[in-house]
């Protein structure tokens, strides 16, 4: 990351040397149009992205928790919201903010704790609503799911995961064409990754919500499923809060 043209431009903004100045002149904010990543780089990046998305992680646990607690609609909205929040972080990495946050222990820790506590709150909320869900199902109804609420909550979860910044700062630069416009390529690569993540997380959301459908045929099982979903979210939040910086 620090060897990228943009990083050298940031570090050399004071005119430390001729090499740094050249990096700034040809860096991501220059107006010269240059090539995007080569076909080989794109293929390698797409393959790498599929492998990363296929590995179970916090994102999948979050989607499963939302599916168990709120059903398919809430889960799919969470997939889109989480992806939107993650892409905002891609933009931050592309313009250099990601490296600054990742380098600051204080900023990183604040974002991590806020994000973790928010997940804990979502989990506790799901557990607290279990009886309302049971009563609604006993009456032949379903609890309404707010589109804005489900999407907005997931956006915030995506935004407050600082490990995404570190991951993208390490993942994206190796696939950037050195002669290209750095920030444009970073945003394009990030967009492709997010689309692949939506497909992968979407499959998790559908599978988890289908499993939930069997449980909600019985109000008691639905109540247990809501508790399970809330426990997953709260447990994930605790892990995020107490996990080490790396």
């Amino acid at each position: 990351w620090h060897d990228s043209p943009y990083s050298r431009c940031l570090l050399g903004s004071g005119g430390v040397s001729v090499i740094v100045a050249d990096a700034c002149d040809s860096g991501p904010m220059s107006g010269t149009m240059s090539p995007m990543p080569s076909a080989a780089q794109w293929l390698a990046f797409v393959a790498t992205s599929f492998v990363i998305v296929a590995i179970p992680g916090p994102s999948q646990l979050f989607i499963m928790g939302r599916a168990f607690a709120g059903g398919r609609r809430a889960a799919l909205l969470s997939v889109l919201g989480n992806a939107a929040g993650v892409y905002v972080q891609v933009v931050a990495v592309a313009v250099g903010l990601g490296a600054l946050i990742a380098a600051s222990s204080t900023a990183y820790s604040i974002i991590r704790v806020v994000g973790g506590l928010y997940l804990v709150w979502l989990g506790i909320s799901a557990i607290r609503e279990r009886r309302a869900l049971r009563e609604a199902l006993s009456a032949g109804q379903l609890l309404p799911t707010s589109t804005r609420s489900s999407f907005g909550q997931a956006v915030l979860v995506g935004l407050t995961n600082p490990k995404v910044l570190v991951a993208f700062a390490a993942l994206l630069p190796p696939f950037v064409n050195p002669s290209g416009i750095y920030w444009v390529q970073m945003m394009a690569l990030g967009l492709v990754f997010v689309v692949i993540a939506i497909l992968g997380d979407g499959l998790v959301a559908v599978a988890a919500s289908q499993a939930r459908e069997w449980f909600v045929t019985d109000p008691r099982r639905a109540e247990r499923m809501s508790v399970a979903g809330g426990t997953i979210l709260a447990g994930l939040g605790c892990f995020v809060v107490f996990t080490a910086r790396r």
Side-chain angles (χ1 to χ4, degrees), residues 69 126-143 212 215-227:
I127 294 174
R128 291 180 61 186
E129 293 174 358
R130 68 188 188 280
R131 292 183 180 177
L133 174 62
R134 178 179 177 179
E135 293 173 357
L137 291 174
S138 298
Q141 302 174 349
L142 286 175
L143 289 178
R212 180 183 184 272
F215 282 90
V216 298
T217 56
D218 184 324
R220 291 184 179 179
R221 288 200 299 260
E223 183 177 358
R224 298 190 192 103
M225 182 58 70
S226 183
V227 172

Side-chain angles (χ1 to χ4, degrees), residues 61-76:
L61 287 176
F62 169 66
I63 300 303
M64 287 176 60
R66 295 309 299 266
F68 290 161
R72 178 178 301 181
R73 185 166 180 269
L76 291 176

Side-chain angles (χ1 to χ4, degrees), residues 25-181:
D25 292 338
S26 60
M29 297 304 178
S30 65
T32 304
M33 294 299 294
S34 300
M36 294 289 282
S38 65
Q41 286 175 309
W42 275 115
L43 289 175
F45 177 75
V46 169
T48 302
S49 298
F50 271 110
V51 171
I52 293 175
V53 170
I55 299 174
S59 176
Q60 286 83 353
L61 287 176
F62 169 66
I63 300 303
M64 287 176 60
R66 295 309 299 266
F68 290 161
R72 178 178 301 181
R73 185 166 180 269
L76 291 176
L77 286 171
S78 296
V79 169
L80 296 177
N82 185 62
V86 167
Y87 192 70
V88 172
Q89 296 207 48
V90 171
V91 175
V93 170
V95 300
L97 294 179
L100 297 177
I101 294 176
S104 171
S105 298
T106 301
Y108 184 96
S109 297
I110 290 175
I111 295 174
R112 173 174 55 81
V113 171
V114 170
L117 291 178
Y118 187 64
L119 284 170
V120 171
W121 179 80
L122 289 177
I124 293 175
S125 297
I127 294 174
R128 291 180 61 186
E129 293 174 358
R130 68 188 188 280
R131 292 183 180 177
L133 174 62
R134 178 179 177 179
E135 293 173 357
L137 291 174
S138 298
Q141 302 174 349
L142 286 175
L143 289 178
T145 301
S146 169
T147 299
R148 180 178 299 179
S149 175
S150 297
F151 183 82
Q153 290 171 352
V155 170
L156 186 56
V157 170
L159 280 173
T160 54
N161 182 1
K163 290 191 174 182
V164 172
L165 287 172
V166 177
F168 279 132
L171 172 66
L172 300 183
F175 299 96
V176 171
N177 187 335
S179 64
I181 301 178

Side-chain angles (χ1 to χ4, degrees), residues 226-238:
S226 183
V227 172
T231 301
I232 291 174
L233 293 174
L236 179 59
C238 290

